Amino acid sequence: MDKLLVSACLLGTPCRYDGKSKADARVQALMGKYEIVPVCPEQLGGLPTPRVPSERRGERVVTADGRDVTEAYRRGAEAALALCQQNGCEAAVLKEKSPSCGCGQIYDGTFSRRLTEGDGVTVELFKAHGIVVCGESDVEKL
């Protein structure tokens, strides 16, 4: 059975910034087709749960209260990539819109709930290493 890296919050783990999960039935249904490797890059990068919301501003990631947390996001992305490679995962399903896991669209850095084109820090790194990434609404593409 192929292995698939999946954002832990989509599987029901309460690891999001608000201390909650975003369990998704479409993603959970993949458990019968793949061996699932759960991941939360933010936690791997050393950020607590719950935590102050963060958004990308260009190459940086900042919290709603103005702190630069870019290095934690980069550490988490590197750790998630290592986990992906160690487990032989060639694809990942990651949480849409996240500054770490968002694929194609992320929040615009103004904390106004507006979306912009772009990828989260982890997705950017995964794509650079040939990992196929999709969000929870695109799991049928697998």
Side-chain angles (χ1 to χ4, degrees):
M1 185 178 290
D2 289 337
K3 292 183 179 183
L4 182 66
L5 196 82
V6 176
S7 287
C9 63
L10 296 174
L11 298 170
T13 302
C15 56
R16 287 172 36 93
Y17 75 93
D18 58 6
K20 298 178 182 175
S21 73
K22 279 288 186 178
D24 189 289
R26 297 167 294 189
V27 176
Q28 291 172 327
L30 297 172
M31 292 163 104
K33 298 179 182 179
Y34 297 92
E35 183 178 333
I36 303 296
V37 178
V39 66
C40 178
E42 289 94 337
Q43 287 184 334
L44 289 175
L47 295 171
T49 300
R51 55 192 166 272
V52 177
S54 300
E55 293 185 6
R56 283 195 84 170
R57 288 187 186 156
E59 293 299 310
R60 311 303 300 167
V61 182
V62 297
T63 62
D65 61 8
R67 287 180 298 116
D68 187 320
V69 289
T70 305
E71 288 311 310
Y73 275 77
R74 287 187 182 149
R75 278 193 311 273
E78 291 286 346
L81 177 63
L83 185 64
C84 191
Q85 292 172 330
Q86 289 164 0
N87 282 280
C89 301
E90 295 179 3
V93 177
L94 301 176
K95 180 68 188 100
E96 295 172 354
K97 305 174 190 169
S98 158
S100 181
C101 297
C103 184
Q105 281 193 322
I106 55 175
Y107 290 112
D108 70 359
T110 64
F111 297 93
S112 61
R113 309 289 297 163
R114 284 193 302 255
L115 295 171
T116 188
E117 286 186 27
D119 292 326
V121 176
T122 299
V123 171
E124 199 171 80
L125 184 64
F126 279 20
K127 286 181 174 180
H129 284 84
I131 307 297
V132 175
V133 182
C134 70
E136 66 269 22
S137 65
D138 290 330
V139 295
E140 73 280 352
K141 292 180 180 178
L142 297 172

